[in-house]
Amino acid sequence: MNRKCYYRWVEALTTVENLVNKHTRVVHAFDREGDITEVFDQVRQLQHTGVLVRAADNRSLNSDSERLWSKLEAQPITLSQEIELPQTGKRSARKAKLAVRFCSVNLRTPYRFDNRDPLLVYAVYATEVDCPLCETPVEWMLLTTEVVADMQMASTILCWYSYRWRVEEDHNIFKSGCQVERYRLAAEGMKTLIGFLSVIAVELLQLTYLHRTQPFAPAIKILNPQQIRIISAKSPKLPKILTVSWAVEAIARLGGYLEHRHKTPIGIQLLWRGWLKLHDLCEGWQLAKET
């Protein structure tokens, strides 16, 4: 994490801490770029905030120079868990079986900190079992301020970290689909626009996720009855069962998707344009109904 990103995160961290109530806890998830002592030091000063970081360094734990990896490797395997790995440029999608160890650790604080007390965190170490020969085995060393006292919480930490892929996909939709970086508005106007686009990005994320995982589910899972009536009227031929897959393709057609290129993946910008057009059609239908 570079200095600029760190200070932006600290600013957001303070804002969120002031907004949440005493019954709410916010956990920030980082990949390896967040493995810096400043992150843990900031969080330990707050009451309602936690952090989950994938370790990048084999940290020193005590004055005897015990190291993070060796301590976790010495722990017994407490559970096995399967997770779905999405496809990336370096691996194919697959289901990975993980052997999981966990324990509490005290991270040594560098000399640059005034508060030299060790940082008490919990480490969850997951390694892939029976990895395919052509793939690189998964190995996650996760550090968290959340208390991991049993197998159920260790499993929860793994699930939280796997959600990072969905967050990254949401960011991609926000930047590439909604093209938020194109806009140049004054501060207050930009805040309003970001709030509006954030909702649309989440809606598009739901569309793409269900299209990938539940294509034959009923279309009502992603569209309301009014939206279904409108895209049904715009569709040249209706299937017997209106599914999620049909709904996504119909929305993409509103955005300019060409029917004869059905083998071409539906891009997020097509969905973005189609989704906006669907909202415009719904608004026009509502206005016509009221006049």
Side-chain angles (χ1 to χ4, degrees):
M1 182 188 294
N2 61 43
R3 187 177 297 273
K4 186 177 181 180
C5 290
Y6 170 73
Y7 285 121
R8 284 181 178 175
W9 174 73
V10 170
E11 183 180 355
L13 186 71
T14 305
T15 301
V16 172
E17 177 74 11
N18 293 332
L19 288 175
V20 299
N21 60 47
K22 63 181 180 179
H23 302 296
T24 303
R25 186 162 183 81
V26 178
V27 179
H28 296 254
F30 290 95
D31 204 4
R32 283 172 286 194
E33 73 277 0
D35 184 19
I36 57 175
T37 305
E38 282 81 357
V39 167
F40 295 100
D41 186 57
Q42 283 288 335
V43 168
R44 72 174 170 181
Q45 301 174 38
L46 304 174
Q47 291 185 334
H48 309 297
T49 302
V51 70
L52 168 60
V53 177
R54 183 177 173 186
D57 301 312
N58 194 12
R59 289 171 170 272
S60 176
L61 301 182
N62 55 37
S63 57
D64 297 329
S65 297
E66 185 179 15
R67 295 285 174 172
L68 177 62
W69 254 262
S70 60
K71 182 174 178 66
L72 268 295
E73 286 169 350
Q75 304 302 314
I77 295 173
T78 53
L79 77 148
S80 296
Q81 181 164 331
E82 288 189 344
I83 61 166
E84 295 286 345
L85 297 177
Q87 183 175 353
T88 68
K90 297 182 179 179
R91 70 163 180 246
S92 57
R94 70 178 188 273
K95 183 176 288 187
K97 183 179 180 182
L98 303 179
V100 184
R101 303 169 170 88
F102 66 89
C103 69
S104 61
V105 295
N106 285 298
L107 305 180
R108 293 185 67 182
T109 308
Y111 287 100
R112 65 180 180 273
F113 287 85
D114 295 331
N115 182 1
R116 292 298 315 287
D117 293 337
L119 291 161
L120 174 61
V121 299
Y122 290 80
V124 178
Y125 183 44
T127 54
E128 187 173 2
V129 179
D130 299 328
C131 175
L133 294 177
C134 57
E135 300 286 352
T136 302
V138 170
E139 182 185 7
W140 293 344
M141 179 70 76
L142 306 179
L143 302 176
T144 180
T145 53
E146 303 306 289
V147 177
V148 183
D150 52 37
M151 293 186 294
Q152 182 177 357
M153 191 59 188
S155 176
T156 299
I157 292 297
L158 287 174
C159 288
W160 286 354
Y161 182 72
S162 70
Y163 293 158
R164 179 179 57 85
W165 298 315
R166 296 184 197 173
V167 174
E168 289 178 355
E169 191 174 355
D170 179 65
H171 288 171
N172 180 51
I173 293 171
F174 192 54
K175 293 176 65 177
S176 301
C178 301
Q179 298 183 335
V180 66
E181 294 176 336
R182 289 177 50 194
Y183 301 96
R184 296 292 184 268
L185 300 179
E188 290 304 316
M190 196 66 190
K191 286 181 181 179
T192 302
L193 178 65
I194 287 175
F196 172 71
L197 294 179
S198 296
V199 173
I200 293 180
V202 171
E203 290 175 338
L204 291 176
L205 178 64
Q206 183 186 30
L207 284 179
T208 56
Y209 180 73
L210 289 177
H211 187 223
R212 184 171 63 246
T213 60
Q214 302 179 40
F216 302 112
I220 197 68
K221 292 196 73 169
I222 59 174
L223 298 175
N224 61 44
Q226 182 192 89
Q227 291 170 330
I228 290 176
R229 281 198 298 271
I230 289 172
I231 63 171
S232 295
K234 293 285 291 183
S235 299
K237 185 179 180 181
L238 291 178
K240 293 181 179 180
I241 301 176
L242 303 183
T243 63
V244 167
S245 179
W246 165 82
V248 170
E249 290 175 7
I251 293 169
R253 282 196 298 271
L254 292 178
Y257 183 65
L258 301 177
E259 194 75 25
H260 66 275
R261 300 181 62 184
H262 62 277
K263 292 184 179 180
T264 304
I266 296 174
I268 192 60
Q269 291 191 24
L270 275 174
L271 277 180
W272 155 253
R273 292 197 297 266
W275 192 244
L276 286 185
K277 188 169 182 179
L278 177 59
H279 277 264
D280 289 341
L281 290 171
C282 289
E283 185 178 5
W285 183 87
Q286 189 65 34
L287 289 172
K289 186 179 178 181
E290 293 175 358
T291 56

